[in-house]
Amino acid sequence: MNLIDENVEKESDEKQRKLTKVIIFSIIILLLIVVVIWIYSTIKKKNTLQLKIDNKETKFSSELFLMQDKNNLVKTEDGKIYISVKGLASMLNVGFYNDEFNGGGEDVTKCYIKTDNEYTSYISNSSKIYKVTDNKAIKEEMNKDKKNAEQDSQMELLNDYEYQYFSIEDGVRYVNNEIYARSDAIELGFNVTISYDEKNKNVSILSIDGLESIAKSKVGDAAVTGEDASFNNKKLLKHGYVLIKNGTEEYGIADYWNYKQGSYFLSCKYSKIEYIESLGCLIVTASDNQKVGILKMNLEGEGSVSKVLDPRYDSITQLSEDGKFYLIKEGDRYGVIKIEEGDNGIEYSTVLKSEYKYIGIENPESYGDETTSRFILSNKYIPIKNDSGKWGLASIEGDILVVPQYDIIGCNISKVGNPVLIINDLKKGLDVVVFGNSVAVDEKTTKTTYRLIDPKTNAVVGLEAYDIYSIYEDNETLYYLNAILTSGDPMKVNIIDIYGDPNRNKQDSNNKENNKKVNANSDSDSGQDNGQTDEQQSSNNEANNGEQQNSDKQQENSNSNN
């Protein structure tokens, strides 16, 4: 090898070494850059709020959460965070509406959402949150699949809407033209679970569908999910429980996070289970005798179940919006019980024994908005019907106010106005309920007359009528009765002006003329047979006389004040 070749080889080796050093150095620099970027990204991610919905990272707008600053959420002392109701509804494809349910307006400080057949109303700066279950769709499905008279009876007893009320202190805020709700209020309305890892700046939301998937994976075929589970029972998933079914089609409840075969929260010995969220109770039907009872779910700690009411009724149906009153059925008789939180937990008491042929209004749809509940009028009175088909009235305390003696409750025959069941506060401390009786005039004709009855005294207020109805005009509801005087002349009477508080509605000149005409005829009619018994006529006269005395006293007070 000559000298020139040696030099060339040395230069080549030197270049190769330098190139190798450059490559190694470049790799080291790149690795350092990657490490720096990774560290930066990790730190940034750790300090940036992240959202997962059903374990999937999800992008969100900055308005979704109520922020203390760009990185930190506003939270309560017990760690609850605030989430935009509208924002989350959009992300979860949940219906969102201004105002509260059936509010009919556009109050942006209130809103409601729709999930399945349930509506939840949020009212800013209020601790009250309420849920409304729309049973009309349920009744339609039951009607399609009905197989027997018992199902007809169950459908008939369902209110179109059932209300459940909850209280969450400082649960809803109105900030920057946006309604924010505490995470527990969001869980309640959206039927989700929410966890917030403040250290790692991570919010995780699990929907009912996500929770169902988890329960199914842990419990297997025993888990009752999908279309086989009612919407109410799916809410158990939020608390870590799932409805289960054994090989003999009996139902129980299991803790799906800690599920072990044969280890149940509630044993499989019921043919039906229904979860009542507002009370944290279960309405259960025993497999052995098909009787219905109520159990209380105690969800603190490891959780347990305690009896509220042994299975002994044929059915139990919620009556009141607040979930306190329930219709019970024994054989073909109905009664009412009350369930509420007492000193010793959930307790029940009997309001009305199971001895009535019917409880509530038989045809509530014909009264429209006149009544919000077919079972309890004005949150005070329970219509009752005995074996003879006669109607009366009980109080929610269980007192019989009007002994069943009338053929009809309410008047819904008017062709010129709206039907009337009850007139609240006709005057201070006085409600009146409409009752009617039918008398056969001949083989083909029946005469029906209606009366206004004071539930406190059983007195008949005002004249007997062949029609009682209401009309809404000039932003107020006016009530009228059409009476037939002994002279044979028909008489249209403004009920409030004649028998109520004279200051309740403004009187026009025509009403005043009516007043004079009715008062002039009252004395002439008082002793004659106008379709009333002597006792009823006497009560009517006393009511009219009392009305006149009150009017005189009010006039005296007015003069003395002037």
Side-chain angles (χ1 to χ4, degrees), residues 287-306:
S287 297
D288 55 356
N289 59 11
Q290 295 302 303
K291 297 298 182 181
V292 182
I294 298 177
L295 305 177
K296 169 67 177 175
M297 293 187 70
N298 307 303
L299 300 175
E300 300 297 326
E302 296 182 357
S304 62
V305 175
S306 57

Side-chain angles (χ1 to χ4, degrees), residues 49-53 56-58 60 64-65 91 203 205:
L49 190 64
Q50 305 292 310
L51 172 65
K52 287 185 178 181
I53 296 179
K56 295 180 181 178
E57 286 198 15
T58 307
F60 60 95
L64 180 63
F65 299 100
M91 296 185 72
V203 177
I205 298 176

Side-chain angles (χ1 to χ4, degrees), residues 80 131 163 212 261 372 381 405 438 562:
K80 306 299 182 184
K131 305 181 84 168
Y163 288 71
E212 272 194 314
Q261 182 68 33
T372 57
Y381 311 112
Q405 58 187 291
S438 298
N562 292 335

Side-chain angles (χ1 to χ4, degrees), residues 7 44 69 158 257 266 284-285 334-335 355 367 373 466 562:
N7 289 335
K44 184 178 179 180
D69 54 47
L158 278 176
W257 289 111
L266 183 67
V284 296
T285 304
Y334 294 93
E355 56 188 23
Y367 289 93
S373 170
Y466 64 86
N562 292 335

Side-chain angles (χ1 to χ4, degrees), residues 341-360:
E341 192 76 39
D343 295 336
N344 299 315
I346 295 291
E347 300 173 348
Y348 91 96
S349 57
T350 299
V351 177
L352 296 172
K353 292 181 179 180
S354 306
E355 56 188 23
Y356 297 97
K357 193 67 177 177
Y358 203 89
I359 287 177

